[in-house]
Amino acid sequence: MILPSPLSGLRLPFLLQTTMSKTLQAIKGMNDILPGSVTRKDKLPDSALWHWFESTVRSVLARYGYLYILTPIVEPTALFVRGLGEVTDIVEKEMYSFTDAMNGDQLTLRPEATAGIVRAMVEHNALYNGPLRLWTLGAMFRHEKPQKGRYRQFHQLDVEALGFAGPDVDAELILLVRRLWKELGLVEGEHVRLELNSLGQPAERAAHRAALIAHFEAHAELLDEDAKRRLHSNPLRILDTKNPAMQAMVEAAPKLMDFLGEETLAHFNAVRAILDAAGLEYRVNTRLVRGMDYYNLTVFEWVTDHLGSQGTVCGGGRYDGLIEQLGGKSAPAVGFGLGIERLLLLIQELGLPVPSGAADAYAVIPDATALPQVLPVLEGLRAEGVAVQMHAGGGSMKAQFKKADASGARYALVFGADELSQGQVTLKPLREAGEQSLRPLADVKHWAGLLRGPAGNA
């Protein structure tokens, strides 16, 4: 029986004939995250670095009272058209959109996380009992030219505070990111720095937008093709131009800050006062805008000079109109997105110390017949929180010690015939000075602490 492919309309036998003859590879710009022991041509963070980052994120966000949420990778295309704006770069040319062959639905692989989280809040009436602090982490998709730190499948940490109107939560989110930098070993002001702005309210932005259009129209001869295309659809994005010929004209453009009213300025100044009190340095960047239409009031970016042109590692701000725009009851909201690949590349670029992901100990077992005696000991160590990698497949003592050393483990556990006959195991340090010692198999709890973690306990 020949089955039609729901993705392409091609018949499966044809697909098999065209793919069986060559090695299949990942789609360009969509990368495998591999253990560090697997060599690869391109420089990408290994899975141990990812695991460490995710563990750090979970710890930090739990301390701030943020709750975990998961939303689908595929959403209705209309969600992003309504949420992001029809004239944004994402909607115009970067989304992976397709028609579901089973029912004709227009679907899109999510290009960002905020719209999906807000859709979930509206669909489930999640703010009925009050505001929520939420976070998620996962894959996003944008169809663009792959380059270092910018991929077609990339991963983001997304943190949202929904239902909070005050500047206190704006500042809390910024300070939360600062705490994450500290936990990851990044130094603010040296490795990353904060830029801050206010986008005002819709009426203020409308007045500024009209002034911008008038300014750009007066200098139409300086506009490149991209700027001409955006002039009436999204003139704010012209301020982001990298075209050297336009820089002086853009610098002279009307500043949004000059159009902000008293309430907007009071909100912005309150955010600044909290950051000042916390001793966090920042730069007010009046040209800082966001790529999505839904932002208002506070916007911020954490940027670096260590990744070339891909300098933004975290960006966010307030989006008080999005919940109502997507069909919910009007409620304020603020959040940020953090590009994980770009951040981990920065950590690698700086050579910061990170955990290796190696086990605490490697079990050397010269005789497989000893396994019934050895395995309960290994399980006992694991129950005490010790990470133990067991050698498998036999081999000489020399070969097993070579494997133990290559594993990165701090200790080798030697279950030789002599040790087992005495009811003991030899603990041999592999990474630090120290004498090997014998420990009783029957008293795992007593000596497990020596193996656990980088510091250990005697």
Side-chain angles (χ1 to χ4, degrees), residues 173-198:
L173 279 171
I174 294 170
L175 294 172
L176 185 158
V177 182
R178 178 203 210 183
R179 169 55 51 193
L180 182 60
W181 297 155
K182 289 182 179 180
E183 303 274 332
L184 296 173
L186 292 164
V187 179
E188 64 183 81
E190 180 182 345
H191 300 147
V192 288
R193 65 181 186 279
L194 176 64
E195 296 193 343
L196 199 63
N197 193 21
S198 176

PDB file of all heavy atoms in Angstrom, residues 173-198:
ATOM      1  N   LEU A 173      12.844  41.714  37.288  1.00  0.00           N
ATOM      2  CA  LEU A 173      13.285  40.873  36.179  1.00  0.00           C
ATOM      3  C   LEU A 173      14.718  41.204  35.760  1.00  0.00           C
ATOM      4  O   LEU A 173      15.517  40.317  35.460  1.00  0.00           O
ATOM      5  CB  LEU A 173      12.346  41.042  34.992  1.00  0.00           C
ATOM      6  CG  LEU A 173      11.049  40.231  35.039  1.00  0.00           C
ATOM      7  CD1 LEU A 173      10.118  40.661  33.916  1.00  0.00           C
ATOM      8  CD2 LEU A 173      11.331  38.743  34.935  1.00  0.00           C
ATOM      9  N   ILE A 174      15.041  42.485  35.725  1.00  0.00           N
ATOM     10  CA  ILE A 174      16.400  42.889  35.358  1.00  0.00           C
ATOM     11  C   ILE A 174      17.399  42.390  36.398  1.00  0.00           C
ATOM     12  O   ILE A 174      18.481  41.888  36.056  1.00  0.00           O
ATOM     13  CB  ILE A 174      16.471  44.421  35.205  1.00  0.00           C
ATOM     14  CG1 ILE A 174      15.625  44.864  34.009  1.00  0.00           C
ATOM     15  CG2 ILE A 174      17.912  44.886  35.036  1.00  0.00           C
ATOM     16  CD1 ILE A 174      15.428  46.368  33.912  1.00  0.00           C
ATOM     17  N   LEU A 175      17.044  42.492  37.676  1.00  0.00           N
ATOM     18  CA  LEU A 175      17.926  42.018  38.737  1.00  0.00           C
ATOM     19  C   LEU A 175      18.018  40.493  38.746  1.00  0.00           C
ATOM     20  O   LEU A 175      19.056  39.924  39.115  1.00  0.00           O
ATOM     21  CB  LEU A 175      17.435  42.530  40.088  1.00  0.00           C
ATOM     22  CG  LEU A 175      17.525  44.053  40.267  1.00  0.00           C
ATOM     23  CD1 LEU A 175      16.837  44.484  41.555  1.00  0.00           C
ATOM     24  CD2 LEU A 175      18.976  44.515  40.256  1.00  0.00           C
ATOM     25  N   LEU A 176      16.938  39.828  38.326  1.00  0.00           N
ATOM     26  CA  LEU A 176      16.967  38.366  38.198  1.00  0.00           C
ATOM     27  C   LEU A 176      18.023  37.954  37.164  1.00  0.00           C
ATOM     28  O   LEU A 176      18.794  37.007  37.396  1.00  0.00           O
ATOM     29  CB  LEU A 176      15.581  37.870  37.794  1.00  0.00           C
ATOM     30  CG  LEU A 176      15.315  36.372  37.705  1.00  0.00           C
ATOM     31  CD1 LEU A 176      13.815  36.104  37.832  1.00  0.00           C
ATOM     32  CD2 LEU A 176      15.812  35.738  36.409  1.00  0.00           C
ATOM     33  N   VAL A 177      18.058  38.654  36.030  1.00  0.00           N
ATOM     34  CA  VAL A 177      19.068  38.347  35.020  1.00  0.00           C
ATOM     35  C   VAL A 177      20.464  38.603  35.573  1.00  0.00           C
ATOM     36  O   VAL A 177      21.395  37.825  35.351  1.00  0.00           O
ATOM     37  CB  VAL A 177      18.844  39.176  33.737  1.00  0.00           C
ATOM     38  CG1 VAL A 177      19.872  38.812  32.679  1.00  0.00           C
ATOM     39  CG2 VAL A 177      17.447  38.943  33.177  1.00  0.00           C
ATOM     40  N   ARG A 178      20.592  39.698  36.320  1.00  0.00           N
ATOM     41  CA  ARG A 178      21.902  39.983  36.937  1.00  0.00           C
ATOM     42  C   ARG A 178      22.333  38.840  37.855  1.00  0.00           C
ATOM     43  O   ARG A 178      23.496  38.444  37.859  1.00  0.00           O
ATOM     44  CB  ARG A 178      21.793  41.288  37.738  1.00  0.00           C
ATOM     45  CG  ARG A 178      23.076  41.675  38.462  1.00  0.00           C
ATOM     46  CD  ARG A 178      22.742  42.586  39.639  1.00  0.00           C
ATOM     47  NE  ARG A 178      23.791  43.526  39.947  1.00  0.00           N
ATOM     48  CZ  ARG A 178      23.734  44.371  40.967  1.00  0.00           C
ATOM     49  NH1 ARG A 178      22.671  44.403  41.750  1.00  0.00           N
ATOM     50  NH2 ARG A 178      24.729  45.207  41.211  1.00  0.00           N
ATOM     51  N   ARG A 179      21.402  38.305  38.638  1.00  0.00           N
ATOM     52  CA  ARG A 179      21.707  37.165  39.522  1.00  0.00           C
ATOM     53  C   ARG A 179      22.142  35.961  38.704  1.00  0.00           C
ATOM     54  O   ARG A 179      23.094  35.263  39.064  1.00  0.00           O
ATOM     55  CB  ARG A 179      20.464  36.836  40.362  1.00  0.00           C
ATOM     56  CG  ARG A 179      20.508  35.516  41.140  1.00  0.00           C
ATOM     57  CD  ARG A 179      21.707  35.397  42.047  1.00  0.00           C
ATOM     58  NE  ARG A 179      21.865  36.567  42.899  1.00  0.00           N
ATOM     59  CZ  ARG A 179      22.955  36.834  43.601  1.00  0.00           C
ATOM     60  NH1 ARG A 179      24.003  36.011  43.527  1.00  0.00           N
ATOM     61  NH2 ARG A 179      23.027  37.912  44.342  1.00  0.00           N
ATOM     62  N   LEU A 180      21.467  35.717  37.580  1.00  0.00           N
ATOM     63  CA  LEU A 180      21.842  34.595  36.715  1.00  0.00           C
ATOM     64  C   LEU A 180      23.255  34.777  36.190  1.00  0.00           C
ATOM     65  O   LEU A 180      24.041  33.822  36.161  1.00  0.00           O
ATOM     66  CB  LEU A 180      20.850  34.483  35.557  1.00  0.00           C
ATOM     67  CG  LEU A 180      21.073  33.331  34.575  1.00  0.00           C
ATOM     68  CD1 LEU A 180      21.006  31.987  35.293  1.00  0.00           C
ATOM     69  CD2 LEU A 180      20.046  33.382  33.450  1.00  0.00           C
ATOM     70  N   TRP A 181      23.604  35.999  35.768  1.00  0.00           N
ATOM     71  CA  TRP A 181      24.986  36.241  35.310  1.00  0.00           C
ATOM     72  C   TRP A 181      25.983  35.867  36.399  1.00  0.00           C
ATOM     73  O   TRP A 181      27.012  35.229  36.120  1.00  0.00           O
ATOM     74  CB  TRP A 181      25.185  37.709  34.954  1.00  0.00           C
ATOM     75  CG  TRP A 181      24.401  38.306  33.832  1.00  0.00           C
ATOM     76  CD1 TRP A 181      24.079  39.621  33.678  1.00  0.00           C
ATOM     77  CD2 TRP A 181      23.842  37.650  32.672  1.00  0.00           C
ATOM     78  NE1 TRP A 181      23.349  39.832  32.541  1.00  0.00           N
ATOM     79  CE2 TRP A 181      23.197  38.633  31.887  1.00  0.00           C
ATOM     80  CE3 TRP A 181      23.818  36.338  32.232  1.00  0.00           C
ATOM     81  CZ2 TRP A 181      22.545  38.346  30.695  1.00  0.00           C
ATOM     82  CZ3 TRP A 181      23.157  36.037  31.047  1.00  0.00           C
ATOM     83  CH2 TRP A 181      22.545  37.014  30.293  1.00  0.00           C
ATOM     84  N   LYS A 182      25.720  36.280  37.631  1.00  0.00           N
ATOM     85  CA  LYS A 182      26.654  35.987  38.729  1.00  0.00           C
ATOM     86  C   LYS A 182      26.807  34.490  38.934  1.00  0.00           C
ATOM     87  O   LYS A 182      27.914  33.987  39.151  1.00  0.00           O
ATOM     88  CB  LYS A 182      26.165  36.657  40.015  1.00  0.00           C
ATOM     89  CG  LYS A 182      26.311  38.175  40.001  1.00  0.00           C
ATOM     90  CD  LYS A 182      25.860  38.786  41.325  1.00  0.00           C
ATOM     91  CE  LYS A 182      26.043  40.299  41.317  1.00  0.00           C
ATOM     92  NZ  LYS A 182      25.612  40.919  42.597  1.00  0.00           N
ATOM     93  N   GLU A 183      25.681  33.764  38.876  1.00  0.00           N
ATOM     94  CA  GLU A 183      25.731  32.314  39.097  1.00  0.00           C
ATOM     95  C   GLU A 183      26.497  31.613  37.969  1.00  0.00           C
ATOM     96  O   GLU A 183      27.091  30.557  38.175  1.00  0.00           O
ATOM     97  CB  GLU A 183      24.305  31.757  39.169  1.00  0.00           C
ATOM     98  CG  GLU A 183      23.441  32.381  40.231  1.00  0.00           C
ATOM     99  CD  GLU A 183      23.585  31.732  41.599  1.00  0.00           C
ATOM    100  OE1 GLU A 183      23.901  30.536  41.642  1.00  0.00           O
ATOM    101  OE2 GLU A 183      23.375  32.436  42.601  1.00  0.00           O
ATOM    102  N   LEU A 184      26.480  32.201  36.768  1.00  0.00           N
ATOM    103  CA  LEU A 184      27.178  31.608  35.620  1.00  0.00           C
ATOM    104  C   LEU A 184      28.631  32.067  35.514  1.00  0.00           C
ATOM    105  O   LEU A 184      29.361  31.591  34.646  1.00  0.00           O
ATOM    106  CB  LEU A 184      26.439  31.962  34.322  1.00  0.00           C
ATOM    107  CG  LEU A 184      25.011  31.405  34.177  1.00  0.00           C
ATOM    108  CD1 LEU A 184      24.341  31.984  32.939  1.00  0.00           C
ATOM    109  CD2 LEU A 184      25.024  29.884  34.119  1.00  0.00           C
ATOM    110  N   GLY A 185      29.039  33.010  36.370  1.00  0.00           N
ATOM    111  CA  GLY A 185      30.426  33.476  36.354  1.00  0.00           C
ATOM    112  C   GLY A 185      30.674  34.682  35.474  1.00  0.00           C
ATOM    113  O   GLY A 185      31.833  35.088  35.281  1.00  0.00           O
ATOM    114  N   LEU A 186      29.608  35.298  34.924  1.00  0.00           N
ATOM    115  CA  LEU A 186      29.767  36.488  34.084  1.00  0.00           C
ATOM    116  C   LEU A 186      29.838  37.739  34.954  1.00  0.00           C
ATOM    117  O   LEU A 186      29.121  37.853  35.955  1.00  0.00           O
ATOM    118  CB  LEU A 186      28.600  36.613  33.113  1.00  0.00           C
ATOM    119  CG  LEU A 186      28.531  35.532  32.019  1.00  0.00           C
ATOM    120  CD1 LEU A 186      27.150  35.528  31.371  1.00  0.00           C
ATOM    121  CD2 LEU A 186      29.608  35.750  30.967  1.00  0.00           C
ATOM    122  N   VAL A 187      30.701  38.671  34.572  1.00  0.00           N
ATOM    123  CA  VAL A 187      30.901  39.898  35.337  1.00  0.00           C
ATOM    124  C   VAL A 187      30.193  41.053  34.633  1.00  0.00           C
ATOM    125  O   VAL A 187      30.504  41.364  33.484  1.00  0.00           O
ATOM    126  CB  VAL A 187      32.410  40.216  35.483  1.00  0.00           C
ATOM    127  CG1 VAL A 187      32.609  41.511  36.259  1.00  0.00           C
ATOM    128  CG2 VAL A 187      33.134  39.060  36.168  1.00  0.00           C
ATOM    129  N   GLU A 188      29.231  41.668  35.326  1.00  0.00           N
ATOM    130  CA  GLU A 188      28.521  42.796  34.724  1.00  0.00           C
ATOM    131  C   GLU A 188      29.473  43.976  34.550  1.00  0.00           C
ATOM    132  O   GLU A 188      30.345  44.230  35.385  1.00  0.00           O
ATOM    133  CB  GLU A 188      27.324  43.198  35.581  1.00  0.00           C
ATOM    134  CG  GLU A 188      27.696  43.716  36.960  1.00  0.00           C
ATOM    135  CD  GLU A 188      26.477  44.031  37.808  1.00  0.00           C
ATOM    136  OE1 GLU A 188      25.905  43.097  38.388  1.00  0.00           O
ATOM    137  OE2 GLU A 188      26.127  45.220  37.894  1.00  0.00           O
ATOM    138  N   GLY A 189      29.324  44.667  33.445  1.00  0.00           N
ATOM    139  CA  GLY A 189      30.208  45.788  33.143  1.00  0.00           C
ATOM    140  C   GLY A 189      31.454  45.372  32.397  1.00  0.00           C
ATOM    141  O   GLY A 189      32.036  46.165  31.654  1.00  0.00           O
ATOM    142  N   GLU A 190      31.863  44.116  32.570  1.00  0.00           N
ATOM    143  CA  GLU A 190      33.044  43.596  31.873  1.00  0.00           C
ATOM    144  C   GLU A 190      32.650  42.616  30.772  1.00  0.00           C
ATOM    145  O   GLU A 190      33.066  42.749  29.621  1.00  0.00           O
ATOM    146  CB  GLU A 190      33.982  42.904  32.864  1.00  0.00           C
ATOM    147  CG  GLU A 190      35.234  42.337  32.227  1.00  0.00           C
ATOM    148  CD  GLU A 190      36.126  41.617  33.222  1.00  0.00           C
ATOM    149  OE1 GLU A 190      35.922  41.789  34.445  1.00  0.00           O
ATOM    150  OE2 GLU A 190      37.024  40.857  32.782  1.00  0.00           O
ATOM    151  N   HIS A 191      31.846  41.638  31.111  1.00  0.00           N
ATOM    152  CA  HIS A 191      31.400  40.640  30.132  1.00  0.00           C
ATOM    153  C   HIS A 191      30.055  41.010  29.505  1.00  0.00           C
ATOM    154  O   HIS A 191      29.823  40.739  28.323  1.00  0.00           O
ATOM    155  CB  HIS A 191      31.289  39.269  30.793  1.00  0.00           C
ATOM    156  CG  HIS A 191      32.565  38.778  31.372  1.00  0.00           C
ATOM    157  ND1 HIS A 191      32.624  37.987  32.501  1.00  0.00           N
ATOM    158  CD2 HIS A 191      33.851  38.966  30.992  1.00  0.00           C
ATOM    159  CE1 HIS A 191      33.878  37.704  32.784  1.00  0.00           C
ATOM    160  NE2 HIS A 191      34.643  38.293  31.884  1.00  0.00           N
ATOM    161  N   VAL A 192      29.166  41.553  30.300  1.00  0.00           N
ATOM    162  CA  VAL A 192      27.834  41.968  29.839  1.00  0.00           C
ATOM    163  C   VAL A 192      27.504  43.314  30.470  1.00  0.00           C
ATOM    164  O   VAL A 192      27.985  43.637  31.557  1.00  0.00           O
ATOM    165  CB  VAL A 192      26.737  40.943  30.209  1.00  0.00           C
ATOM    166  CG1 VAL A 192      26.833  39.686  29.377  1.00  0.00           C
ATOM    167  CG2 VAL A 192      26.788  40.607  31.700  1.00  0.00           C
ATOM    168  N   ARG A 193      26.668  44.093  29.802  1.00  0.00           N
ATOM    169  CA  ARG A 193      26.234  45.380  30.353  1.00  0.00           C
ATOM    170  C   ARG A 193      24.778  45.622  29.981  1.00  0.00           C
ATOM    171  O   ARG A 193      24.273  45.088  29.002  1.00  0.00           O
ATOM    172  CB  ARG A 193      27.123  46.515  29.851  1.00  0.00           C
ATOM    173  CG  ARG A 193      27.038  46.773  28.370  1.00  0.00           C
ATOM    174  CD  ARG A 193      27.966  47.895  27.925  1.00  0.00           C
ATOM    175  NE  ARG A 193      27.755  48.220  26.528  1.00  0.00           N
ATOM    176  CZ  ARG A 193      28.270  47.556  25.506  1.00  0.00           C
ATOM    177  NH1 ARG A 193      29.067  46.533  25.740  1.00  0.00           N
ATOM    178  NH2 ARG A 193      28.008  47.916  24.261  1.00  0.00           N
ATOM    179  N   LEU A 194      24.124  46.436  30.790  1.00  0.00           N
ATOM    180  CA  LEU A 194      22.691  46.678  30.643  1.00  0.00           C
ATOM    181  C   LEU A 194      22.422  47.981  29.903  1.00  0.00           C
ATOM    182  O   LEU A 194      23.036  49.015  30.203  1.00  0.00           O
ATOM    183  CB  LEU A 194      22.031  46.734  32.028  1.00  0.00           C
ATOM    184  CG  LEU A 194      20.541  47.072  32.079  1.00  0.00           C
ATOM    185  CD1 LEU A 194      19.713  45.993  31.398  1.00  0.00           C
ATOM    186  CD2 LEU A 194      20.095  47.252  33.533  1.00  0.00           C
ATOM    187  N   GLU A 195      21.476  47.925  28.939  1.00  0.00           N
ATOM    188  CA  GLU A 195      20.968  49.114  28.276  1.00  0.00           C
ATOM    189  C   GLU A 195      19.464  49.202  28.512  1.00  0.00           C
ATOM    190  O   GLU A 195      18.770  48.177  28.519  1.00  0.00           O
ATOM    191  CB  GLU A 195      21.284  49.089  26.782  1.00  0.00           C
ATOM    192  CG  GLU A 195      22.789  49.114  26.506  1.00  0.00           C
ATOM    193  CD  GLU A 195      23.132  49.406  25.065  1.00  0.00           C
ATOM    194  OE1 GLU A 195      22.235  49.275  24.197  1.00  0.00           O
ATOM    195  OE2 GLU A 195      24.293  49.771  24.793  1.00  0.00           O
ATOM    196  N   LEU A 196      18.968  50.418  28.689  1.00  0.00           N
ATOM    197  CA  LEU A 196      17.606  50.629  29.168  1.00  0.00           C
ATOM    198  C   LEU A 196      16.947  51.747  28.364  1.00  0.00           C
ATOM    199  O   LEU A 196      17.609  52.701  27.946  1.00  0.00           O
ATOM    200  CB  LEU A 196      17.686  51.028  30.646  1.00  0.00           C
ATOM    201  CG  LEU A 196      16.458  50.907  31.550  1.00  0.00           C
ATOM    202  CD1 LEU A 196      16.034  49.452  31.674  1.00  0.00           C
ATOM    203  CD2 LEU A 196      16.804  51.481  32.937  1.00  0.00           C
ATOM    204  N   ASN A 197      15.635  51.629  28.165  1.00  0.00           N
ATOM    205  CA  ASN A 197      14.882  52.685  27.488  1.00  0.00           C
ATOM    206  C   ASN A 197      13.414  52.547  27.864  1.00  0.00           C
ATOM    207  O   ASN A 197      13.009  51.565  28.497  1.00  0.00           O
ATOM    208  CB  ASN A 197      15.052  52.591  25.960  1.00  0.00           C
ATOM    209  CG  ASN A 197      14.570  53.827  25.229  1.00  0.00           C
ATOM    210  OD1 ASN A 197      14.460  54.904  25.818  1.00  0.00           O
ATOM    211  ND2 ASN A 197      14.274  53.694  23.944  1.00  0.00           N
ATOM    212  N   SER A 198      12.620  53.534  27.481  1.00  0.00           N
ATOM    213  CA  SER A 198      11.167  53.440  27.603  1.00  0.00           C
ATOM    214  C   SER A 198      10.554  53.693  26.235  1.00  0.00           C
ATOM    215  O   SER A 198      10.928  54.657  25.555  1.00  0.00           O
ATOM    216  CB  SER A 198      10.624  54.462  28.608  1.00  0.00           C
ATOM    217  OG  SER A 198       9.206  54.417  28.644  1.00  0.00           O
TER     218      SER A 198
END
